[in-house]
Amino acid sequence: MSLDGLPPLREVIERHGLQAKKSLGQNFLLDLNLTGKIARAAGDLSACTVIEVGPGPGGLTRALLMNGATRVVAIERDERCLEALAEVSAHYPGRLEVIPGDALKTDFAALVPSGPVKIVANLPYNIGTELLVRWLTVAEWPPFYESMTLMFQREVAQRIVAKPGTEAYGRLGVLAGWRTLAKIVFDVPPQAFTPPPKVTSSVVQLIPRENPLPADVRKLGRITEAAFGQRRKMLRQSLKGIEGARLLEATGIDGTRRAETLDIAEFVALANAL
């Protein structure tokens, strides 16, 4: 038996025939010490509901419950994992709700109608960035969650926390920096996973800012998409398709600059001028 009185994860995976599927972006975390570290990084879980995406055989799910999460709502697309998760649910009666389905089609704000929410997940690699962008661009702000503690490939994590003027700075860095305080909490080596990915992963924490600079989220999305879509070009070229000359004049931003030199306030000014 492992720390929580449930069978070790390797045994669970063998018993249920749960080989990780590349098509689902799966890499299972089997080390309960490590999943415990991720759960603790999310802070006090006792007063909130935790939303988890892609629990797989339940390694992180078990750590969240063991570290005091009152309730975990887990969205899992892979039907093969549901039996293993049902065993976790039975071990923690009334505290784990598993929703079979696709995270990209889920209305997350509606999952937990009241009370504080934290999102904690080892996100499937193939949908991680898209989910994050959706959570960063929800219409209501402050959002339905009070923090996000998420695992990404290290390269994506670096883009999330990137500052202007750096190679990694792009659309993700602007959106994350605009609405949240984002930091890399720790790295996770490939050998912690089954199967081991070819890259190091990082756990990122994002705390929503109470009062981000006011901007229309869709317009900011359009500006960053255009500006970073051709990041090697000057702004007067990359913004051409969306009245770039007028926007640059209205904001007083030099059209010979490149996207990665603009700070968040300048992107917000361009969005507001659109």
Side-chain angles (χ1 to χ4, degrees):
M1 284 292 159
S2 51
L3 302 168
D4 57 359
L6 281 159
L9 277 163
R10 281 190 192 285
E11 195 183 295
V12 172
I13 285 171
E14 271 170 41
R15 192 157 37 92
H16 293 283
L18 295 177
Q19 275 58 47
K21 275 190 180 173
K22 206 170 183 180
S23 62
L24 294 174
Q26 289 174 329
N27 294 88
F28 297 148
L29 261 184
L30 301 191
D31 182 342
L32 281 180
N33 293 315
L34 193 56
T35 52
K37 192 176 173 185
I38 298 169
R40 288 190 296 277
D44 180 7
L45 304 176
S46 63
C48 61
T49 298
V50 177
I51 292 177
E52 184 189 5
V53 173
L60 180 56
T61 318
R62 285 164 60 169
L64 291 166
L65 291 161
M66 209 163 58
N67 280 276
T70 316
R71 184 162 165 259
V72 175
V73 178
I75 294 104
E76 180 53 70
R77 188 180 157 190
D78 185 355
E79 289 177 3
R80 299 175 310 151
C81 297
L82 298 179
E83 262 180 57
L85 292 167
E87 289 169 16
V88 180
S89 189
H91 190 72
Y92 291 99
R95 289 173 60 194
L96 172 62
E97 181 185 353
V98 180
I99 299 175
D102 184 343
L104 293 176
K105 294 177 182 158
T106 301
D107 178 356
F108 286 93
L111 288 180
V112 187
S114 64
V117 171
K118 291 185 176 188
I119 302 175
V120 187
N122 167 22
L123 292 174
Y125 279 160
N126 51 1
I127 61 167
T129 310
E130 189 175 343
L131 276 176
L132 176 63
V133 169
R134 289 185 186 193
W135 290 329
L136 288 171
T137 56
V138 291
E140 295 275 312
W141 203 270
F144 65 91
Y145 52 85
E146 59 177 45
S147 70
M148 299 190 279
T149 307
L150 307 169
M151 176 122 66
F152 296 96
Q153 292 179 340
R154 180 162 174 79
E155 178 213 350
V156 176
Q158 285 171 327
R159 281 168 37 210
I160 295 166
V161 303
K163 297 285 178 266
T166 61
E167 188 62 30
Y169 184 62
R171 181 167 176 247
L172 208 48
V174 173
L175 293 175
W178 168 49
R179 275 190 155 177
T180 70
L181 292 162
K183 64 176 183 187
I184 292 177
V185 192
F186 57 86
D187 292 339
V188 180
Q191 55 273 25
F193 297 89
T194 300
K198 293 187 172 65
V199 293
T200 296
S201 301
S202 300
V203 174
V204 180
Q205 187 156 59
L206 302 101
I207 309 284
R209 293 179 188 271
E210 273 183 43
N211 300 304
L213 294 169
D216 180 303
V217 69
R218 284 176 309 238
K219 289 180 181 173
L220 187 63
R222 279 181 68 195
I223 292 283
T224 51
E225 222 165 299
F228 288 107
Q230 303 174 304
R231 62 184 298 145
R232 294 282 163 256
K233 294 194 171 172
M234 295 178 192
L235 287 168
R236 63 180 181 214
Q237 280 300 113
S238 57
L239 298 179
K240 220 173 189 172
I242 48 172
E243 312 169 59
R246 182 183 72 74
L247 298 180
L248 293 165
E249 193 180 337
T251 54
I253 293 169
D254 180 355
T256 64
R257 288 171 65 187
R258 289 187 170 81
E260 71 261 22
T261 69
L262 268 63
D263 62 22
I264 289 162
E266 289 173 308
F267 277 111
V268 165
L270 287 167
N272 290 335
L274 192 55

